[in-house]
Amino acid sequence: MNTYQDIYKKSLEEKQQLVDYEAWLHGQYQMASIGAAFSKKCKYPEKPFGLKQKEEMELTAEERFMVWIDAYNRKYEET
């Protein structure tokens, strides 16, 4: 019985975190729109915030190669 309660509580916590994130994201869009309305320096984002962050997190080919070299070298340092 406790297992079901634990799973249910965890799912409620995950839902609450999602609701909190969505509220925060809405606030970000509202701040951007207000800033764009009152200032010419501030522009409303062209892409959704989630997509922009995803693109920033992606590594270039050179960065992926450097990560691979680092992992390869660590393999030989451990032995």
Side-chain angles (χ1 to χ4, degrees), residues 12-23:
L12 286 178
E13 289 173 1
E14 290 173 355
K15 287 178 185 177
Q16 182 61 39
Q17 288 177 350
L18 181 62
V19 168
D20 287 342
Y21 176 74
E22 288 175 353

Side-chain angles (χ1 to χ4, degrees), residues 5-61:
Q5 283 181 327
D6 293 339
I7 293 171
Y8 181 71
K9 285 181 183 180
K10 187 174 181 178
S11 70
L12 286 178
E13 289 173 1
E14 290 173 355
K15 287 178 185 177
Q16 182 61 39
Q17 288 177 350
L18 181 62
V19 168
D20 287 342
Y21 176 74
E22 288 175 353
W24 176 82
L25 194 58
H26 287 291
Q28 294 296 311
Y29 284 115
Q30 289 174 356
M31 286 188 346
S33 64
I34 291 169
F38 291 109
S39 174
K40 292 184 180 182
K41 293 180 183 177
C42 183
K43 294 188 177 186
Y44 193 77
E46 294 178 11
K47 296 180 181 179
F49 288 124
L51 294 179
K52 187 182 293 184
Q53 291 173 353
K54 191 175 186 179
E55 289 175 357
E56 290 173 359
M57 290 175 34
E58 291 180 7
L59 299 175
T60 63

